Amino acid sequence: MPQSRVLFSTDSLPVDVAGPVTTMAKARQAANLRRRRQALTPVFTALAVTVMVVVSISFARSVGLVAPLWGAAGLAVVVWLRTSSGRMYDYSFGAMIAVGLAAGNFLVGNDTLHTLMFTLANMLDIVVAVLMARRFAPTLNLATVTGATRFLLGAALIAPIPSAVFASTMLYWMDGTNPLLSAQTWWFGHALSIAIIGSFGLSLTKRELARLRAPAVALEAAVLMALLTVGGWVVFVHLDVQLSFLILPILLLIAVRLRMLGVTAALLIVTILAVGGSMTGHGPFTGDFSRADQALMGQLLVMLGYLPVMLVAALLEERDRLSDRAKLGQVRAEKASAAKSRLLANVAHEIKSPVGGIIGIGDLWQGGQLGPVNETQAEMAAMLVKTARQVESLAHDLLDVARAESGEVSVELRPTDVPGVLEDVRRATALRPEADTLKLEVVTEGDGLVALADSQRLNQVVTNLASNAVKYGASGGIVTFRASRVHDAVRIEVIDLGPGLSAEKQAQLFEPFNRLGLDRSTIEGHGIGLALAKRLVELQGGSIGVVSQPGEGATFWIELPAA
């Protein structure tokens, strides 16, 4: 009897078995795809380098020049930097690039000795540029001024110097060419290539490409690039007059609208038009200049006139990033403030009920309604009631602060007699035990001292200031309440002759829960009275502040709109 065969299939497995198997298979497929891409990248890059070598040399020879823009260097550098994954990859990538350079030189007809020399010089240029970029701009982030500057200085401007010296020396030994002219042409061509093509390649990030998916952004980019291309063709190819300055505003506009990716793409277009037009004898540098000088002028225009726009784009990118961080921080701070306000309100509500019960029991105990009490028990009951009332006052202040921060405090503005408010506060303050040795006086200067305010909230604010003056300025012997007219406002001042405040302490006065280092002193307080007073005054459209000098007392002032 033949045995039946059971074929294994992930479809027949339970969900908890088939799921992991499928996930692992997808992960292996993705890993294999990445390895294939990584293996093929050096090959395709070498082919592209070969094509660029052939195009650059052939075009330059057709007009009797040495190539003033060596695109192969910039392409090799940027691909190497973007795809490197270890030392073995570097070796294989470098070898493939060398093969591509040699193949290009052979295809344009260079002999073996020149091909070897040019290949070595180009590889020296590329390798030094990669090493300089890794050393001075390891993040390869051109979206910051520091990153862009380091890449341009290290990889673009400094890296081609050794290869320029080597190539010019070898050409002088082999062909007798002017070494200074050879080094100059080599350095300018390779520096421009790495600066323009390299920067463009590094700017091709997922984040930048994602921005172009928006139809409006893509359309704007297409219009700006078309405008730049047409303008560049007119300036550098069609006309023979000096109008190169017209390109700069377009580049700045692209920097503002499209940031780094747009600028690097625009600079690539402008460089090809400016250098190519100069090589063919067109553009703003015709006249008494030779073709070589015209090409040099085109290189200088791009490097000194247009390339700094890249730093403008980097600065704008950096500003955008800092702005996003600031907005995110503001959102987080607002959420934290709202959570704190809710917490304060909840705590205040939870405190008020039990504290009210404690005060009631304490009053009954102190009055002997719970049974006979001796002198010590009565004193303890009084202390209990006093402490409970302090906690109750703190709960009310916490609740007011929470409501003020959340915008739940409403004020009813109406004409308010300021001298009347000050007199009410003076009388209430005089009943405080700590005010027994103080002289309290109200001073009014002028008539019509009527403010547009909420009388209840204004009384609360002035009472708070008076309480502080009595507690902290008692050594001065007098507290003055003054009202005066200042332009279109009514000014209220609470003046004490106490020890005064330093400038550092004045800056911290209106911060919640800040007692200016008096937390362990015998003076009672919780540090939220002035913060609450500031919010209440601002809700009434006024302002609050302090004028003080150490040893000369303090003057707390409020200014409210006059009615």
Side-chain angles (χ1 to χ4, degrees), residues 61-144:
R61 285 178 178 175
S62 67
V63 293
L65 294 176
V66 177
L69 179 62
W70 192 248
L75 176 64
V77 168
V78 70
V79 176
W80 199 337
L81 290 173
R82 291 292 296 268
T83 62
S84 178
S85 59
R87 184 172 296 179
M88 291 304 300
Y89 180 87
D90 288 344
Y91 291 152
S92 61
F93 190 92
M96 291 303 301
I97 296 301
V99 171
L101 291 169
N105 277 274
F106 275 123
L107 289 175
V108 296
N110 286 336
D111 58 44
T112 304
L113 186 59
H114 281 83
T115 296
L116 178 61
M117 186 274 295
F118 282 127
T119 301
L120 290 176
N122 278 284
M123 285 305 300
L124 176 62
D125 179 29
I126 294 169
V127 170
V128 173
V130 169
L131 294 176
M132 292 290 285
R134 290 176 177 175
R135 174 64 179 85
F136 294 104
T139 62
L140 303 179
N141 182 15
L142 302 186
T144 66

Side-chain angles (χ1 to χ4, degrees), residues 33-56:
L33 181 60
R34 284 195 298 269
R35 283 194 292 268
R36 285 196 293 270
R37 287 178 178 175
Q38 193 174 39
L40 292 175
T41 297
V43 177
F44 286 121
T45 306
L47 291 175
V49 166
T50 301
V51 172
M52 296 187 77
V53 168
V54 172
V55 171
S56 297

Side-chain angles (χ1 to χ4, degrees), residues 346-427:
N346 292 335
V347 169
H349 278 295
E350 293 296 329
I351 289 175
K352 287 172 64 178
S353 297
V355 167
I358 293 173
I359 293 174
I361 294 173
D363 286 334
L364 293 175
W365 182 23
Q366 184 180 8
Q369 299 180 39
L370 300 180
V373 294
N374 56 35
E375 184 178 351
T376 302
Q377 291 174 333
E379 184 178 350
M380 292 178 62
M383 292 177 59
L384 176 65
V385 172
K386 180 181 179 182
T387 303
R389 291 195 184 280
Q390 290 174 355
V391 175
E392 184 182 41
S393 175
L394 172 60
H396 283 293
D397 286 346
L398 286 174
L399 190 57
D400 284 339
V401 169
R403 287 173 175 172
E405 289 186 344
S406 61
E408 296 179 2
V409 174
S410 60
V411 293
E412 187 176 351
L413 303 180
R414 60 179 61 184
T416 301
D417 179 40
V418 172
V421 172
L422 297 184
E423 182 60 29
D424 291 341
V425 173
R426 186 197 69 79
R427 291 176 181 176

Side-chain angles (χ1 to χ4, degrees), residues 178-366:
N178 186 336
L180 182 60
L181 181 61
S182 299
Q184 169 186 287
T185 304
W186 184 283
W187 180 82
F188 271 110
H190 287 244
L192 269 182
S193 171
I194 297 173
I196 303 300
I197 299 178
S199 297
F200 175 66
L202 293 179
S203 299
L204 284 171
T205 61
K206 292 182 179 179
R207 177 175 177 271
E208 292 293 331
L209 293 175
R211 292 170 56 186
L212 293 177
R213 292 176 184 174
V217 178
L219 178 60
E220 182 181 22
V223 171
L224 289 175
M225 291 303 168
L227 176 63
L228 178 71
T229 303
V230 172
W233 182 82
V234 171
V235 170
F236 297 115
V237 178
H238 183 66
L239 298 179
D240 295 335
V241 294
Q242 183 58 264
L243 294 176
S244 56
F245 62 90
L246 296 177
I247 301 299
L248 189 57
I250 304 177
L251 288 175
L252 290 173
L253 179 60
I254 292 174
V256 171
R257 301 300 303 169
L258 304 179
R259 298 296 192 262
M260 184 58 71
L261 179 58
V263 162
T264 53
L267 286 172
L268 180 59
I269 295 173
V270 168
T271 302
I272 293 174
L273 291 173
V275 177
S278 300
M279 291 174 64
T280 56
H282 298 90
F285 306 116
T286 56
D288 298 332
F289 296 107
S290 65
R291 288 288 179 89
D293 290 337
Q294 291 178 37
L296 177 61
M297 296 296 290
Q299 292 172 326
L300 286 172
L301 174 65
V302 174
M303 186 168 292
L304 301 180
Y306 299 150
L307 193 60
V309 179
M310 189 185 300
L311 299 181
V312 176
L315 181 61
L316 294 174
E317 292 266 18
E318 198 166 3
R319 187 207 63 177
D320 290 345
R321 187 169 57 258
L322 293 176
S323 177
D324 291 342
R325 289 180 182 177
K327 290 178 181 178
L328 181 60
Q330 182 180 2
V331 170
R332 289 177 177 174
E334 290 174 352
K335 290 181 178 179
S337 178
K340 181 197 68 176
S341 299
R342 289 194 299 270
L343 176 62
L344 289 177
N346 292 335
V347 169
H349 278 295
E350 293 296 329
I351 289 175
K352 287 172 64 178
S353 297
V355 167
I358 293 173
I359 293 174
I361 294 173
D363 286 334
L364 293 175
W365 182 23
Q366 184 180 8

Side-chain angles (χ1 to χ4, degrees), residues 466-488:
S467 175
N468 286 341
V470 169
K471 287 191 294 185
Y472 301 107
S475 60
I478 183 173
V479 174
T480 303
F481 301 88
R482 176 184 295 161
S484 59
R485 187 70 178 263
V486 181
H487 303 298
D488 295 331

